[in-house]
Amino acid sequence: MNITHQDRIRGCLLGGAIGDALGAPIEFWSDEDILAEFGADGVQGYLPARFGDVAGKGLVTDDTQMTLFTVEGLLRANMRGMTRGMCHPPGVVHHAYQRWLTTQNRKGPPPPDDTSGPDGVDGWLGREAWLYSRRVPGGACLSALGASRGDGYGGAADNDSKGCGGVMRSAPFGLFVQSLQEAAALAAECAGLTHGHVTGQLASGAFAAIIWTICRGRPLELAVHAATDWLVAQPGHEETLEALQRAVRAAQTREPAHAAVVHVGEGWVAEEALAVGVYCALACPAPEQVRRALSLAVSHGGDSDSTGSICGNLLGAMHGTAALPQDLLADLEGRETIEQLAEHMWVFLDTPERVASGEYGTSDDPEEERRGWDRYPGW
C-alpha cells in the first residue's frame, strides 16, 4: 500500500496520542496488577482517567502536549526562516516549550487581546483551552524550563537528567526536517533544552532518525540501522546504542512478548523508553497488529504512556492513519487540534519536489502571509 508522506505525518501524531492515552491510566500499575486485571492480552481500550478536575477516556498526558508544542515550534521556526531569511530553530522551539509551561501554570487561555508578558501566548495553539490541564508533567521539564524563563533561549539545561521527557516529544523532527542528520541533531539539541545528560539527548536524536527514515518508505528494521549509524558517530552513544540493540535482539527471539518488554526496559529513562517502543513495533509490524503492538507497549509496570506514545508514533508513521484502531481514534482527546497541526506541517513541508511544483508554504499574497504569521509568529 502506498502511504503518502502527508498521511504518515497525520498517522504519526495521532498514533502517538493514542498510545499515550492508552497507557496513561495504568502508568503507575505494577506488572502483576496489569496481568491480573487484563490477562496476557493486556490493555485493549481506553480506561477512565482523571487529571485534576478533568475526567474521561482517551485523555492524553504531557507527552502529547509537548509533542504538539514541538510541532508548533518547528512551524514557527519555518515561518521565521521563510519571511525573515534567518532563524535559530532551537531558540524558537525553546519558546514553544515555554508556552507549554504557561499552559501548566494557568487555568485557561488569556483573553484574545492579551499577548503581553514574558510568556506571551500568541498564535493559535496556546489558545486551545483543552491544553490547559496538568497531566503529570516531568520534573526535569518543569524545572529546566522554569529556570530558563526570560533568559537566553536555546541554551542547554543545567542538569544531568536522562528521563524520557525529551525523547517522547521528538517524533516531529523526523517528520519535518529535511535530512536525517539535521533531524537527529536538532532533536538531540532540543532535548538538551530540558535534559542535560547525553543519553537523554542522543535517544531523542535516534528516535527522530528512525521516524525520518520510516517516512521515506523504508522498513523499521532499516530505520533502526540508519539511526544506529548516526549514533555511533556521536560521543557518549553507548547507552542508547545498547538499548536499541537489546530491542532488536528481543524482537528476533521467540520469548513471550510481555517478558521481552520487561527485559528491554521500563521506559522511565530515555534509552529504555525508545527501546520499548521500538521493540513493540518490531514485534508486531503488520498494519493489522497495531492494537496488539500498542497494548504490548503499555501493558507493563513502567512508564506506560511514554512507551505507548513512542510506539504509536512509529506505527502511525509506518502504516498511516487507516491502520490506527478506529474506536481509539474516535474517542481521542484533542483529535481535531492534532489533525490541524498535522495539516499545517504538511502545508509547510518543503520537500524538493514540492518546492519545484510551488505547492508548499506561504503564497505571494501578503494577506495570506500575514495570516500565516498570525497563526505561527516566528519567535
Side-chain angles (χ1 to χ4, degrees):
M1 181 173 63
N2 184 30
I3 304 169
T4 66
H5 195 124
Q6 182 178 13
D7 193 45
R8 292 185 192 275
I9 293 173
R10 185 167 53 243
C12 180
L13 296 181
L14 289 170
I18 288 173
D20 179 19
L22 197 65
I26 59 167
E27 181 179 9
F28 301 109
W29 289 34
S30 69
D31 284 305
E32 293 77 14
D33 288 343
I34 291 171
L35 286 172
E37 181 71 19
F38 305 105
D41 289 339
V43 178
Q44 297 292 306
Y46 294 138
L47 301 172
R50 176 175 288 277
F51 299 99
D53 59 355
V54 179
K57 292 185 177 181
L59 301 183
V60 300
T61 76
D62 62 312
D63 294 40
T64 297
Q65 290 176 338
M66 293 201 77
T67 297
L68 299 185
F69 277 96
T70 301
V71 174
E72 194 217 28
L74 288 171
L75 289 172
R76 287 184 179 229
N78 184 75
M79 178 63 71
R80 183 172 185 84
M82 291 178 66
T83 59
R84 303 295 172 85
M86 60 184 297
C87 180
H88 178 56
V92 180
V93 172
H94 203 165
H95 271 281
Y97 294 154
Q98 291 291 346
R99 285 187 293 279
W100 168 79
L101 183 63
T102 296
T103 68
Q104 304 302 288
N105 295 323
R106 300 181 62 131
K107 292 186 179 298
D113 58 348
D114 177 11
T115 60
S116 60
D119 57 355
V121 182
D122 49 11
W124 74 277
L125 186 62
R127 301 196 177 276
E128 292 290 291
W130 70 277
L131 290 171
Y132 285 78
S133 173
R134 276 211 176 199
R135 303 296 174 85
V136 199
C141 292
L142 291 175
S143 60
L145 293 173
S148 64
R149 170 151 283 180
D151 205 346
Y153 291 106
D158 184 19
N159 63 38
D160 195 37
S161 174
K162 63 168 185 174
C164 64
V167 65
M168 56 77 168
R169 66 184 193 236
S170 292
F173 297 101
L175 297 174
F176 195 66
V177 181
Q178 285 307 296
S179 78
L180 182 151
Q181 294 286 335
E182 292 172 355
L186 183 56
E189 185 172 358
C190 289
L193 299 172
T194 55
H195 291 71
H197 196 288
V198 65
T199 298
Q201 297 163 21
L202 294 183
S204 305
F207 185 33
I210 293 171
I211 293 290
W212 188 94
T213 308
I214 289 170
C215 285
R216 272 69 193 172
R218 299 186 181 101
L220 179 56
E221 293 87 345
L222 292 182
V224 174
H225 287 311
T228 57
D229 286 344
W230 174 81
L231 266 177
V232 295
Q234 315 305 317
H237 65 266
E238 289 80 9
E239 283 186 319
T240 306
L241 179 63
E242 198 282 326
L244 280 176
Q245 291 174 335
R246 192 164 64 243
V248 171
R249 289 195 301 269
Q252 292 171 343
T253 71
R254 296 188 179 277
E255 184 177 11
H258 180 268
V261 171
V262 174
H263 174 71
V264 169
E266 294 185 333
W268 300 111
V269 291
E271 75 276 20
E272 289 188 5
L274 176 62
V276 171
V278 167
Y279 163 71
C280 295
L282 284 171
C284 306
E288 61 272 18
Q289 293 179 303
V290 166
R291 190 187 299 271
R292 170 62 180 147
L294 288 171
S295 176
L296 190 59
V298 304
S299 300
H300 59 85
D303 193 350
S304 299
D305 57 326
S306 295
T307 54
S309 175
I310 290 169
C311 182
N313 287 143
L314 293 168
L315 296 167
M318 289 163 62
H319 302 307
T321 311
L324 300 177
Q326 294 304 298
D327 58 318
L328 301 182
L329 194 57
D331 293 333
L332 178 65
E333 181 186 29
R335 176 181 176 179
E336 182 177 346
T337 302
I338 296 168
E339 290 180 334
Q340 282 184 302
L341 279 170
E343 179 61 24
H344 295 163
M345 181 173 267
W346 170 248
V347 167
F348 288 101
L349 186 67
D350 55 343
T351 65
E353 296 79 13
R354 300 188 75 210
V355 171
S357 68
E359 66 168 292
Y360 90 101
T362 56
S363 70
D364 294 330
D365 180 357
E367 182 62 21
E368 176 61 27
E369 184 174 299
R370 184 192 66 78
R371 286 194 295 270
W373 183 273
D374 287 345
R375 189 183 295 135
Y376 296 108
W379 45 63

